[in-house]
Amino acid sequence: MSVDGPVRVAVVGAGYVGLTTAACLSHLGHDVTCADVDEAKVAGLADGVIPIHEDGLADLVREGIAADRLRFVLGASKAVAGAKFVFLCVPTPQGADGGADMSYVQAVAGEIGPLLDHDAVVVNKSTVPVGSTRVVESALGRRGVSVVSNPEFLREGSAVSDFLHPDRIVIGADDQAAAIRLVDLFAGVRSPVVVTDPPTAETIKYASNAFLATKVSFVNAIANVCEAVGANIREVVLGMGYDRRIGSEFLRPGPGWGGSCFPKDSAALVRIAENAGYDFQLLKGVIEVNTQQQERVVAKVVEAADGTIAGKRVAAWGLTFKAGTDDLRDSPALAVIDRLGAAGAVVRAYDPTRRDPLPGVEVVADPYEACEDASVLAVLTEWDQFRWLDLGSVRSRMARPRIVDTRGLIEPAAARRAGFVLSGVGIP
Ligand code: UDX
Ligand code: UDX
């Protein structure tokens, strides 16, 4: 809670970021109204039905509703009257030119501008091009209402914990008094706070995601070197990670990075730099390595099927872009499956969070069923349960004993004992 007690807050957008923000602010003791344009979503949330898979979120939403500190309304204009802070958490998808599309943010700003209290602070959490805080100011059309940038660093799957125990809070504001009020709103969260100007805060967000994407592309590139020279990536990253300057996080090789943020944010940063006259070749290389990584995984599956995949069955374990979420946005698993389908493979997939069929993929409710008559099993998402499945049972269902494990979940010795030929990313 803030040092002055509960504060009235509006959150616009009840997606992964907005719902987490609303539920956590209400958990901190504030009085939160969360708005969305999706009628079914609002009705469900009002009954405590959480539309996404996000650890710990359902409990906080129900806690907030029960304490009458959290409510859901249809449309931004119903949420903002009397609010001292309005958080913008609407999407900023990748536009046709690679840059972020600001149209939702601008439309919401235009809608709420006339309704805001004179001392309201608008807090932008959506990832927006550098300079957009000022665009929001003009879309609001309100003198005296401050707009502050407060980028989110919420990983899907651990968003609640990332909100309540962040590595840092970044606030970009021209109006120092507004920045201090926002720091105060987060008084229940222990964290270093970086207060800066809006363009710097916006750049911190892009630079952080681009750096993390660079780390993953780097490790995937080193994995490719490992394959060529007979080294083992698992031990390479272990040896690298003990160096505190490098750190051991974000060094897991795999099928490439995906999700709702890295792909669009890295493309947007390339575009932002280009517009400012800088050719960000390093980041272009990072993106290129990522695309190649998906192609390399497809090639590994084709190779495991003895060079031709057309007409053969492939079992896919994992559909989401990473474990801990039900989010399919820009999932490398789907990119690989799409390419396999285009090459004529018949893909049957299992994912613990998905049951509905997807275009070109049969989705089944059991990981063993996915393996029926398959020529290759491709492990594409790092769900922990894939480590513990019975490989003998998997083997007995498959047409041929081949596994391509892109996430390093299956012990090579156990796979060999069960009669499999295993290939992975960065292992000899
Ligand atoms: C967010 C941010 O907004 C994005 O900029 C950031 O980079 C990643 O995280 P996210 O919460 O993942 O996006 O998006 P999503 O789950 O799609 O939720 C957005 C919500 O906003 C949806 O529920 C949608 O219905 C709602 N919405 C969209 C509005 O309420 N009003 C609109 O005008 C548009
Ligand atoms: C990201 C940011 O981490 C978070 O701070 C916020 O800005 C939103 O975007 P998220 O998209 O949930 O979070 O996923 P993250 O955990 O960062 O992973 C991104 C992608 O990288 C996933 O596809 C993941 O599988 C991949 N990854 C991550 C690896 O392949 N190896 C790793 O070691 C780490």
Side-chain angles (χ1 to χ4, degrees):
M1 204 184 297
S2 106
V3 288
D4 298 323
V7 176
R8 269 178 92 164
V9 176
V11 176
V12 183
Y16 287 85
V17 172
L19 190 54
T20 303
T21 300
C24 289
L25 286 173
S26 128
H27 178 69
L28 293 175
H30 298 303
D31 182 63
V32 183
T33 304
C34 181
D36 201 285
V37 289
D38 182 333
E39 205 172 335
K41 192 182 265 190
V42 171
L45 283 168
D47 288 337
V49 179
I50 312 303
I52 54 172
H53 178 100
E54 189 60 62
D55 198 25
L57 186 57
D59 289 343
L60 290 196
V61 169
R62 287 180 202 131
E63 170 197 284
I65 293 172
D68 197 23
R69 285 195 308 266
L70 178 61
R71 65 204 64 82
F72 296 92
V73 295
L74 186 63
S77 51
K78 292 218 183 72
V80 299
K84 298 298 161 203
F85 294 89
V86 179
F87 285 80
L88 302 184
C89 305
V90 292
T92 47
Q94 192 171 328
D97 65 351
D101 174 353
M102 283 285 293
S103 56
Y104 295 116
V105 175
Q106 281 178 288
V108 169
E111 180 186 344
I112 63 173
L115 308 170
L116 292 173
D117 270 21
H118 71 281
D119 61 346
V121 175
V122 173
V123 186
N124 187 30
K125 272 212 173 290
S126 299
T127 306
V128 291
V130 177
S132 300
T133 302
R134 291 178 183 135
V135 174
V136 176
E137 264 161 13
S138 75
L140 285 172
R142 282 286 301 270
R143 282 177 169 272
V145 170
S146 294
V147 182
V148 171
S149 163
N150 172 225
E152 53 88 9
F153 302 100
L154 307 174
R155 287 164 301 175
E156 287 180 27
S158 54
V160 169
S161 147
D162 286 350
F163 191 101
L164 296 173
H165 310 284
D167 287 342
R168 79 304 208 180
I169 291 171
V170 174
I171 296 172
D174 289 324
D175 174 355
Q176 289 303 298
I180 290 165
R181 282 173 60 198
L182 188 57
V183 172
D184 197 20
L185 186 80
F186 292 131
V189 174
R190 281 167 66 93
S191 156
V193 181
V194 178
V195 178
T196 183
D197 56 79
T200 304
E202 290 156 350
T203 306
I204 289 170
K205 167 68 194 229
Y206 279 116
S208 300
N209 273 356
F211 185 76
L212 293 170
T214 303
K215 233 179 153 182
V216 178
S217 276
F218 183 85
V219 86
N220 283 335
I222 293 290
N224 298 338
V225 174
C226 286
E227 288 172 16
V229 301
N232 187 323
I233 190 68
R234 288 197 196 187
E235 284 156 34
V236 169
V237 296
L238 188 70
M240 286 169 67
Y242 281 120
D243 185 326
R244 274 170 297 171
R245 293 168 304 172
I246 298 172
S248 54
E249 286 193 52
F250 264 73
L251 287 181
R252 292 188 313 274
W257 39 264
S260 69
C261 288
F262 281 15
K264 82 170 165 58
D265 291 352
S266 50
L269 185 52
V270 165
R271 167 58 51 168
I272 289 164
E274 210 160 85
N275 290 347
Y278 176 64
D279 180 11
F280 204 154
Q281 287 201 31
L282 174 65
L283 190 52
K284 287 180 181 169
V286 165
I287 296 168
E288 178 58 25
V289 165
N290 200 50
T291 309
Q292 284 170 8
Q293 191 65 8
Q294 294 170 2
E295 282 154 11
R296 283 180 72 94
V297 168
V298 173
K300 281 174 194 290
V301 175
V302 174
E303 192 188 315
D306 288 341
T308 46
I309 201 75
K312 292 183 181 161
R313 281 193 175 277
V314 173
W317 280 358
L319 290 165
T320 54
F321 79 95
K322 65 172 191 180
T325 179
D326 56 346
D327 197 346
L328 298 177
R329 289 179 286 183
D330 267 307
S331 169
L334 285 187
V336 167
I337 289 170
D338 281 351
R339 285 184 171 86
L340 289 170
V346 181
V347 183
R348 186 182 279 167
Y350 166 77
D351 186 284
T353 65
R354 312 294 304 195
R355 291 292 177 270
D356 297 334
L358 293 165
V361 197
E362 187 188 347
V363 180
V364 294
D366 173 84
Y368 298 104
E369 192 186 339
C371 297
E372 213 71 62
D373 296 328
S375 296
V376 185
L377 163 61
V379 182
L380 298 173
T381 309
E382 75 280 29
W383 290 105
D384 203 43
Q385 60 171 260
F386 298 154
R387 293 176 197 275
W388 316 114
L389 295 176
D390 175 2
L391 290 178
S393 178
V394 171
R395 168 71 190 95
S396 67
R397 287 159 189 259
M398 288 180 64
R400 298 178 73 249
R402 299 283 185 275
I403 299 178
V404 177
D405 176 12
T406 69
R407 298 284 191 168
L409 299 181
I410 301 202
E411 267 313 311
R416 263 195 309 277
R417 275 198 304 277
F420 280 103
V421 178
L422 175 80
S423 63
V425 172
I427 53 170

